[in-house]
Amino acid sequence: MISSTAEYALRAIVHLATYRRESETSQHIAEKTKVPPGYMSKVLQDLARAGIVNSQRGPKGGFTLAREPEEITILDVMTAVDPIRRIRTCPLGLPQHGTRLCALHQRLDDAMAYIEDLFANSRISDLMKPSRAGTRCLFPTVERRPAREAAGGRSPPRRTRK
Amino acid sequence: MISSTAEYALRAIVHLATYRRESETSQHIAEKTKVPPGYMSKVLQDLARAGIVNSQRGPKGGFTLAREPEEITILDVMTAVDPIRRIRTCPLGLPQHGTRLCALHQRLDDAMAYIEDLFANSRISDLMKPSRAGTRCLFPTVERRPAREAAGGRSPPRRTRK
């Protein structure tokens, strides 16, 4: 349902967002995200074309994030490498239907619209936080927190408005 | 996002649910649903294996619906031919993560869980009604209704509780 291409691109972006170092080679990013190197190279080219990463050539070349993690959504990344294909016209090509979708195609498109909206509202910065299970993307460690706190953030609750 | 295989299977089931005739050949179903015949043949075999259609061999053989349209969900059909693959364990194979998904994979799996739930609650009988645009699956006609009524059903509103 979510393609490997999209998932690999998200891994690469979360990696670049987490380290924010000097430019990194495609080979290095592939290794850290456990993606086949040839596949990662193609994904990074698509991300560069979409302006999500910067690509620099030369011996010290490589890839860096082109925008802040708060300014990149999951949908931006997916759209760059493997866009969600909404159903705009009758897939059977019935000329009488055209853009008037039947119940089947309307239901399928409604599902895709929901996902599109969900991912348009999910920022890369959201993915850099520990999950509710206490794990961080790409880090082989688990935050040790009591189960009842696991759903919240890492910081203690703010008390500014008490 | 929703595969051709799943979409073709849904077309076949809506077709069989709509006509409820004697058994129909794969060739005929393929023609009526505008799906390549070889592809439809494979899809129908998967649907038969899942007990959604009955398959009869012989000169008068073919396919019929095995259950009532109210008893088959979109998810049943998708699961028979191309199941939604939920993310149960860390796709990077990090042993420390295991079933504790990071924020990226949790977000992607949450999206799939939503779709799974939506389709588990969508029955084939729902798809046989005219859509809000006034079209019916597989029928090359459009119900002529004033635009303001198009979002509702075909029948006049019930007045039982006025």
Side-chain angles (χ1 to χ4, degrees):
Chain A
M1 184 142 267
I2 287 147
S3 69
S4 298
T5 306
E7 209 249 289
Y8 291 170
L10 286 162
R11 289 189 202 177
I13 295 299
V14 170
H15 171 81
L16 288 172
T18 303
Y19 292 98
R20 307 304 297 273
R21 286 189 292 237
E22 290 170 24
S23 68
E24 291 190 47
T25 64
S26 172
Q27 181 76 33
H28 183 252
I29 300 168
E31 189 186 315
K32 293 296 178 189
T33 56
K34 298 183 186 281
V35 171
Y39 207 144
M40 180 52 80
S41 172
K42 196 202 156 298
V43 161
L44 286 166
Q45 283 164 25
D46 286 343
L47 290 169
R49 251 189 297 274
I52 297 173
V53 301
N54 291 320
S55 163
Q56 285 166 321
R57 298 194 178 194
K60 288 200 168 182
F63 296 88
T64 51
L65 215 58
R67 280 137 57 188
E68 293 300 316
E70 294 74 22
E71 293 164 1
I72 307 170
T73 68
I74 290 185
L75 187 65
D76 292 335
V77 176
M78 291 181 77
T79 301
V81 298
D82 187 22
I84 293 176
R85 279 181 226 99
R86 296 283 304 276
I87 304 174
R88 304 293 186 192
T89 59
C90 174
L92 279 75
L94 297 175
Q96 300 89 339
H97 286 203
T99 58
R100 299 169 186 234
L101 300 183
C102 69
L104 167 60
H105 292 119
Q106 190 61 64
R107 190 71 55 114
L108 299 182
D109 189 58
D110 286 350
M112 287 189 263
Y114 174 86
I115 297 296
E116 199 172 70
D117 191 56
L118 180 76
F119 290 160
N121 288 291
S122 301
R123 297 175 185 285
I124 297 303
S125 47
D126 300 333
L127 306 180
M128 297 165 67
K129 300 168 191 162
S131 70
R132 57 183 183 246
T135 53
R136 279 174 178 271
C137 296
L138 310 172
F139 282 84
T141 52
V142 177
E143 313 266 323
R144 297 194 186 285
R145 294 176 300 161
R148 63 178 178 279
E149 286 178 21
R154 287 179 74 210
S155 321
R158 290 185 191 176
R159 292 169 186 256
T160 48
R161 290 215 177 191
K162 202 169 177 183
Chain B
M1 183 141 271
I2 287 147
S3 69
S4 297
T5 306
E7 209 249 290
Y8 290 170
L10 286 163
R11 289 188 203 177
I13 294 300
V14 171
H15 171 82
L16 288 172
T18 303
Y19 291 99
R20 307 302 299 273
R21 286 190 291 236
E22 290 169 26
S23 68
E24 291 191 47
T25 63
S26 172
Q27 181 75 33
H28 183 250
I29 300 167
E31 189 187 315
K32 292 297 178 187
T33 56
K34 298 183 187 281
V35 171
Y39 206 145
M40 180 52 80
S41 173
K42 197 200 156 298
V43 162
L44 286 166
Q45 283 164 26
D46 287 343
L47 291 168
R49 251 190 298 274
I52 296 173
V53 301
N54 291 320
S55 163
Q56 286 167 318
R57 297 193 180 197
K60 287 201 167 181
F63 296 88
T64 50
L65 215 60
R67 279 139 57 188
E68 293 300 314
E70 294 75 21
E71 293 163 3
I72 308 171
T73 68
I74 290 184
L75 187 65
D76 292 334
V77 176
M78 291 182 77
T79 301
V81 299
D82 186 21
I84 293 175
R85 278 181 226 98
R86 297 283 303 276
I87 305 174
R88 304 294 186 191
T89 59
C90 174
L92 279 75
L94 297 175
Q96 300 89 340
H97 286 203
T99 58
R100 300 168 186 237
L101 299 182
C102 69
L104 167 60
H105 293 119
Q106 190 61 64
R107 190 71 56 113
L108 299 182
D109 189 57
D110 286 349
M112 286 190 264
Y114 174 87
I115 296 296
E116 200 171 70
D117 190 58
L118 179 76
F119 290 161
N121 287 292
S122 301
R123 297 175 185 285
I124 297 303
S125 48
D126 299 334
L127 306 181
M128 296 164 67
K129 299 168 191 163
S131 70
R132 57 183 184 248
T135 53
R136 280 175 177 269
C137 296
L138 310 173
F139 282 84
T141 52
V142 178
E143 311 265 322
R144 298 193 188 285
R145 294 176 300 160
R148 64 178 177 278
E149 286 177 21
R154 286 181 75 210
S155 321
R158 289 186 194 177
R159 291 168 188 254
T160 47
R161 291 214 177 193
K162 202 169 175 184

